[in-house]
Amino acid sequence: QRGIWFFSSYLKAELETVTVNVTIQDFVADVVSELVFRNTQQFSVETVFIFPVDSDTVVHTFYATMGDTRIEAMLWEKEEAQELCKATSGMENLRYLQDQCDLQGPVFACFLGTLPPNREVAISLCYVQELPLQPDGAAQFCWPGELFPPTEIMSEVSPFTFSHLFLPAGYISAEEEVSKNLHFCIRLKSAHGVSHVAINSSFTPLQYTAPDQTSAEVSLKSSPCLRSHLNLLVYYRGPHALSAVVEKRDSKAPRGSLLGDPVVMLTLMPDIPEVVPNPGQLGEFLFLMDRSLFRDAQVTPEELPHLSSAHPSIYPQNTLLFLLKSLPLGCYFNIYSFGATFKAFYPQSVENTQENMDNAVGRISSICPDLGGCDLLGLLRSIYSTPLRQGHPRQLFIFIQRKISSEEEAVMAEVYRYRDHHWCFCFPTNRCDSFNLFQAMALQTKGECVCIHSRMDMTSEALKCLQRALQPVATGISLHWELPPGLEVSMIRKAPEMIFQGHQTSVYAQIHGQAQDAEADEGAVTLQYHVGSQSFAYTLRFSLSPSSDDRLPVHRMAMMHLLWKLAWEGTSRADKTTQHSAVKCSISLGVPSPFTSSVAVRVTQRDAWHHDSLPPDSSMLLSPSCNLVPCQLLWLRGFRPVWFKSTKFWMLQKCQFCLEMLGHKAPDTEALTQLSASCKAFNMSWDWTISPLSTRLCDFSRLRVVVALQKANGSWALTAALVSALGLSKADVEEQRPSEDVQPDAWATVLASVWLHQYKWKVSWSELLEAKACRWLRDQAEVQLDECLEAANALLGCFVEPSIFRI
């Protein structure tokens, strides 16, 4: 979830007033916010404003006002901006912030200087963003809980709950007082019609502002409880796999330019049936492992599943083990290790069979550490030179902690060239210096970039991405336009070749020309795609005469993608005229790009410039009437762990710790009751029943053994190693087997599946393994799953619902 933080020497200035106006049209949001902070300390503090930005967000306006001083962020041509930054005192503060801040990810950061006691600073922040699609079809908008006026906690929660929670000072006791300082208005628009909204806060009734219910308004009445993030879900009328937002041209811009023509944003949401993909649609999974992740310790395949999770040199091996074992039969895979050179397990990807799986697991220990150079570019070129497997979408999982050195542009250009043919899931560690590169790789290929902070993070985050990558996909995506004669479409960001189930993608097109019929104001677009052997087509008609929007949110988003396109297609390096035009467009709309960098200027009010009249000569920025301020888009590395990502996350950590402390002791009813009450206070549903199984799941070595013993088809053999890993005796396992008719492999698979399912309160790594096991069991016609499940629950001392096997 997105968040915004306002720091002042680690002491928070108090947020006094919040004014936010959000306009949401289908899946794009335009946000205008005004925030007023006050230094309530008795001494002056140094302040910095930090705003996280993801790949679908464009921050185009930022300025801060303190007394008669105004600090404004602007964009400048990249090389000139770098020269200006060299002249800026205090740039080392940004580098210190990058290395020391607990937060992680790409942010916009601006140091605001000294704020005297009892003085205010007013922040103006404007941005546009593409909104994500929720599983139920809603568009989701988030606003961080940190940016709501503080309020007293109204619900009764035991002191145990908040013994370590940080609660900012200055709480207001009444909801009415909060509403006076909170002005949060949301305007909604959609040609489909606005159905309803869901907000985790009190809000006014939805007011329709058009007879056909295509526009509406809603306002917040108070902040969300417990300073939670605001989550707004917008539901539109009727099922739809396609939506269009058309934005008028800027009348001041010349026709033919991006601003001088209408732009349409299409959001593609293919309706993908809940089907199990056949073996021809399971994908090609390529795992790229940085050899610097593998320390000096070497292990044998037999030792691999028995190693302690605390071993400092073994977590990449564990990650590979879990990934390989989670792959379904019928897919293709390969493993590459890279350093100064690169090596592949196989000359080309191989099918996931038992033989190939055993061979790959056995070769994990052969990966040798390499702390030299990094030939990721050569590896990518080698991969891209191999032909795609028909019906098997290619997906790259890249694990890296070293810097790419001077080849970042060449790496990105290579990825961009093949962006429509694969996904990149990138996992840089917090030691990596190339975060921006990997974020860009994930953005352009519709993958994901996750920073890795710990051994557990690497495995869990990789498996989350693999779970997403194994979902059914829509393939063969194409768009067919019908426009009035005289008009034509130029794609700025074209549709990808594949889209995952439950995901959406936005594409942008520029509409050129002049309609021959002045009264023709409607166009149509048809989305076609395939899911397996099924074909689908949806046609959407849209108006070519939309209401005017002077803020141009769609043009800004389209501009961002156009600038990325120019940067990585090499046009900017070959054509100086094109590059100059790109810089001009970037600056005119305030859209960050590979051609520009942020510069902030401090001026007095009497010398303050309007954004449109900034001097073209950068030397004027160094005049005595103003000075430069540290301001930059950068990636915070978050070296120190972030324990309080959310209140719920904190509660789970604390409750899990308490359960582990109980160990083998008899359950403490009073303690468990208190834990359950605390969870209810956070609107959490949790069953804290303590079983003999759950109290002995305290190390991960058994988990690794169970995973290593699973076959490629998802089953387990009833071996002494498995019985020992489950903490059982051979005699008990044989005695509890429901009947002799139950085959040993089926009985072993039920036991292991139940054991893994109970493990999920600890980690969620086992979901894909469970799913494979359940599919195998359901294919065994003679297995009595209900009887086996009852016997397994009794033997393991737990209660797993029959729904695990869908019985």
Side-chain angles (χ1 to χ4, degrees):
Q1 289 183 339
R2 138 184 359 269
I4 306 175
W5 296 270
F6 184 88
F7 289 104
S8 48
S9 301
Y10 299 101
L11 297 172
K12 286 193 175 183
E14 184 173 321
L15 180 57
E16 289 194 331
T17 305
V18 175
T19 302
V20 181
N21 289 289
V22 184
T23 301
I24 296 176
Q25 189 163 5
D26 286 352
F27 288 87
V28 63
D30 182 19
V31 183
V32 179
S33 61
E34 299 284 339
L35 313 168
V36 178
F37 295 86
R38 179 177 293 276
N39 178 14
T40 58
Q41 307 297 324
Q42 299 302 311
F43 45 85
S44 298
V45 292
E46 291 296 318
T47 56
V48 56
F49 186 85
I50 302 175
F51 174 67
V53 291
D54 57 26
S55 58
D56 293 322
T57 301
V58 174
V59 178
H60 57 84
T61 302
F62 172 85
Y63 59 87
T65 304
M66 292 185 287
D68 65 346
T69 300
R70 174 185 170 107
I71 296 173
E72 182 172 359
M74 63 190 76
L75 293 176
W76 211 264
E77 193 278 329
K78 196 165 191 176
E79 292 182 3
E80 291 188 9
Q82 291 172 347
E83 290 300 317
L84 290 171
C85 288
K86 290 180 182 178
T88 304
S89 60
M91 284 301 290
E92 64 277 2
N93 291 338
L94 286 177
R95 288 186 284 272
Y96 178 83
L97 176 69
Q98 185 176 34
D99 291 336
Q100 298 299 320
C101 185
D102 287 345
L103 306 174
Q104 177 271 324
V107 299
F108 166 83
C110 185
F111 277 83
L112 304 179
T114 302
L115 184 62
N118 201 36
R119 295 289 294 275
E120 291 182 345
V121 55
I123 303 288
S124 293
L125 178 74
C126 302
Y127 64 92
V128 296
Q129 66 178 150
E130 294 177 8
L131 300 182
L133 173 72
Q134 295 304 293
D136 60 0
Q140 182 188 33
F141 172 79
C142 292
W143 179 260
E146 294 87 352
L147 290 188
F148 281 110
T151 181
E152 183 178 283
I153 306 302
M154 305 301 293
S155 58
E156 294 184 6
V157 184
S158 80
F160 166 83
T161 305
F162 295 104
S163 57
H164 291 90
L165 268 179
F166 168 70
L167 299 177
Y171 280 99
I172 305 171
S173 60
E175 184 176 290
E176 290 77 9
E177 288 298 319
V178 176
S179 62
K180 291 180 181 178
N181 299 327
L182 174 65
H183 310 278
F184 208 115
C185 180
I186 303 143
R187 298 176 180 85
L188 309 171
K189 300 179 183 178
S190 176
H192 294 282
V194 179
S195 173
H196 61 284
V197 298
I199 310 177
N200 62 336
S201 177
S202 59
F203 57 96
T204 61
L206 190 66
Q207 297 290 327
Y208 290 104
T209 55
D212 57 0
Q213 299 186 344
T214 56
S215 62
E217 290 186 359
V218 65
S219 298
L220 296 190
K221 295 169 67 176
S222 66
S223 306
C225 182
L226 299 176
R227 283 179 88 90
S228 299
H229 296 302
L230 171 75
N231 275 296
L232 165 68
L233 300 178
V234 186
Y235 296 86
Y236 302 114
R237 296 194 182 280
H240 49 278
L242 189 60
S243 73
V245 177
V246 181
E247 190 170 85
K248 279 188 174 181
R249 62 181 291 269
D250 183 352
S251 59
K252 296 178 291 185
R255 287 193 177 273
S257 66
L258 179 63
L259 289 178
D261 284 336
V263 169
V264 57
M265 170 185 172
L266 292 181
T267 303
L268 315 182
M269 302 161 284
D271 182 14
I272 302 177
E274 291 286 345
V275 296
V276 177
N278 61 55
Q281 297 175 303
L282 292 176
E284 179 188 27
F285 300 92
L286 308 180
F287 304 111
L288 285 59
M289 306 296 296
D290 181 350
R291 285 201 291 266
S292 69
L293 292 168
F294 295 76
R295 312 279 176 83
D296 294 333
Q298 298 295 298
V299 294
T300 65
E302 293 76 17
E303 295 173 316
L304 180 61
H306 299 280
L307 288 170
S308 165
S309 63
H311 196 289
S313 61
I314 212 63
Y315 65 96
Q317 288 95 326
N318 284 332
T319 300
L320 276 178
L321 174 67
F322 275 84
L323 285 171
L324 288 173
K325 289 291 182 175
S326 298
L327 293 176
L329 281 176
C331 74
Y332 285 77
F333 74 91
N334 204 350
I335 297 174
Y336 300 84
S337 62
F338 64 92
T341 60
F342 59 88
K343 297 179 181 179
F345 275 26
Y346 308 100
Q348 56 184 339
S349 57
V350 296
E351 187 177 355
N352 183 23
T353 63
Q354 187 64 49
E355 180 182 359
N356 288 335
M357 176 63 64
D358 290 342
N359 178 270
V361 171
R363 296 177 65 178
I364 291 176
S365 59
S366 68
I367 301 178
C368 298
D370 179 352
L371 303 179
C374 182
D375 190 18
L376 179 60
L377 177 60
L379 173 54
L380 290 174
R381 285 175 172 167
S382 175
I383 290 173
Y384 294 149
S385 67
T386 61
L388 294 169
R389 293 186 175 275
Q390 186 65 32
H392 290 267
R394 176 171 287 174
Q395 310 194 47
L396 273 58
F397 287 66
I398 304 174
F399 301 85
I400 189 167
Q401 73 174 358
R402 71 179 91 199
K403 184 175 175 59
I404 308 300
S405 67
S406 61
E407 295 183 327
E408 288 194 6
E409 279 197 19
V411 168
M412 191 60 229
E414 200 73 16
V415 171
Y416 189 86
R417 188 173 300 123
Y418 296 95
R419 66 193 182 281
D420 295 323
H421 303 288
H422 72 299
W423 290 284
C424 283
F425 295 94
C426 303
F427 307 92
T429 70
N430 55 10
R431 298 180 183 178
C432 183
D433 288 326
S434 300
F435 293 109
N436 293 334
L437 168 66
F438 293 107
Q439 186 198 27
M441 291 169 63
L443 165 66
Q444 293 300 325
T445 62
K446 289 298 182 182
E448 193 168 341
C449 180
V450 184
C451 183
I452 302 301
H453 293 270
S454 71
R455 293 179 295 276
M456 288 181 62
D457 272 350
M458 176 173 282
T459 305
S460 62
E461 296 297 343
L463 287 171
K464 287 177 187 176
C465 289
L466 180 61
Q467 193 164 25
R468 171 186 167 187
L470 287 171
Q471 294 172 344
V473 296
T475 60
I477 296 172
S478 62
L479 294 172
H480 303 276
W481 298 84
E482 296 178 27
L483 296 177
L487 296 180
E488 59 182 16
V489 164
S490 173
M491 296 302 297
I492 297 170
R493 186 191 194 190
K494 67 178 184 178
E497 294 192 358
M498 298 164 285
I499 300 178
F500 285 116
Q501 182 184 57
H503 290 79
Q504 101 272 32
T505 188
S506 294
V507 301
Y508 296 84
Q510 184 175 350
I511 302 177
H512 300 282
Q514 187 74 37
Q516 295 176 9
D517 182 356
E519 296 183 359
D521 64 348
E522 189 175 70
V525 61
T526 299
L527 167 67
Q528 294 181 337
Y529 62 93
H530 304 282
V531 179
S533 59
Q534 302 179 66
S535 297
F536 298 85
Y538 293 91
T539 298
L540 175 71
R541 306 200 70 82
F542 56 87
S543 172
L544 293 172
S545 301
S547 59
S548 179
D549 190 339
D550 295 335
R551 297 186 52 78
L552 302 173
V554 175
H555 277 80
R556 292 184 197 275
M557 295 302 303
M559 178 63 72
M560 179 187 73
H561 293 290
L562 177 61
L563 293 171
W564 277 101
K565 181 180 179 180
L566 290 174
W568 301 123
E569 284 184 341
T571 305
S572 60
R573 288 178 287 278
D575 187 346
K576 291 295 183 181
T577 302
T578 301
Q579 180 173 349
H580 176 74
S581 176
V583 170
K584 185 177 180 180
C585 291
S586 178
I587 293 173
S588 66
L589 282 177
V591 177
S593 73
F595 305 103
T596 53
S597 292
S598 297
V599 175
V601 179
R602 179 187 289 112
V603 297
T604 60
Q605 289 287 16
R606 62 179 179 274
D607 296 323
W609 301 315
H610 292 293
H611 191 278
D612 292 338
S613 59
L614 288 173
D617 183 3
S618 61
S619 63
M620 293 184 65
L621 293 177
L622 304 179
S623 65
S625 63
C626 66
N627 59 345
L628 301 176
V629 176
C631 171
Q632 201 170 333
L633 288 169
L634 72 159
W635 191 299
L636 300 184
R637 299 177 184 175
F639 277 109
R640 289 174 286 182
V642 182
W643 293 106
F644 305 112
K645 293 180 181 177
S646 71
T647 305
K648 288 187 178 182
F649 177 83
W650 176 83
M651 282 299 301
L652 295 187
Q653 291 286 326
K654 186 152 190 170
C655 293
Q656 177 174 311
F657 172 77
C658 293
L659 287 176
E660 292 185 4
M661 289 294 96
L662 291 174
H664 295 281
K665 298 177 183 178
D668 184 335
T669 304
E670 183 178 351
L672 296 180
T673 301
Q674 189 177 31
L675 285 173
S676 297
S678 299
C679 289
K680 289 179 182 178
F682 287 85
N683 195 26
M684 295 165 56
S685 175
W686 205 264
D687 182 7
W688 298 110
T689 303
I690 301 298
S691 69
L693 175 67
S694 62
T695 55
R696 63 175 178 258
L697 294 180
C698 291
D699 67 67
F700 294 103
S701 59
R702 290 179 179 175
L703 176 61
R704 270 185 297 274
V705 174
V706 173
V707 171
L709 293 174
Q710 188 179 30
K711 297 179 181 179
N713 63 7
S715 68
W716 278 268
L718 190 58
T719 63
L722 177 65
V723 170
S724 175
L726 298 179
L728 304 172
S729 68
K730 186 176 181 180
D732 288 342
V733 170
E734 288 295 339
E735 181 181 340
Q736 291 289 336
R737 190 163 60 157
S739 69
E740 293 183 359
D741 294 336
V742 176
Q743 294 299 313
D745 282 7
W747 176 228
T749 303
V750 171
L751 283 172
S753 298
V754 170
W755 191 91
L756 285 174
H757 190 79
Q758 280 294 97
Y759 216 113
K760 285 168 64 175
W761 73 272
K762 197 79 156 150
V763 293
S764 60
W765 304 348
S766 61
E767 290 185 11
L768 291 173
L769 305 178
E770 275 187 52
K772 287 177 64 176
C774 291
R775 282 194 296 269
W776 183 85
L777 284 168
R778 288 196 298 271
D779 290 340
Q780 312 307 304
E782 298 180 358
V783 177
Q784 300 296 320
L785 287 178
D786 49 355
E787 295 180 11
C788 289
L789 178 59
E790 183 179 354
N793 277 329
L795 183 59
L796 291 169
C798 60
F799 180 73
V800 171
E801 295 282 353
S803 58
I804 180 180
F805 301 121
R806 294 185 174 88
I807 60 175

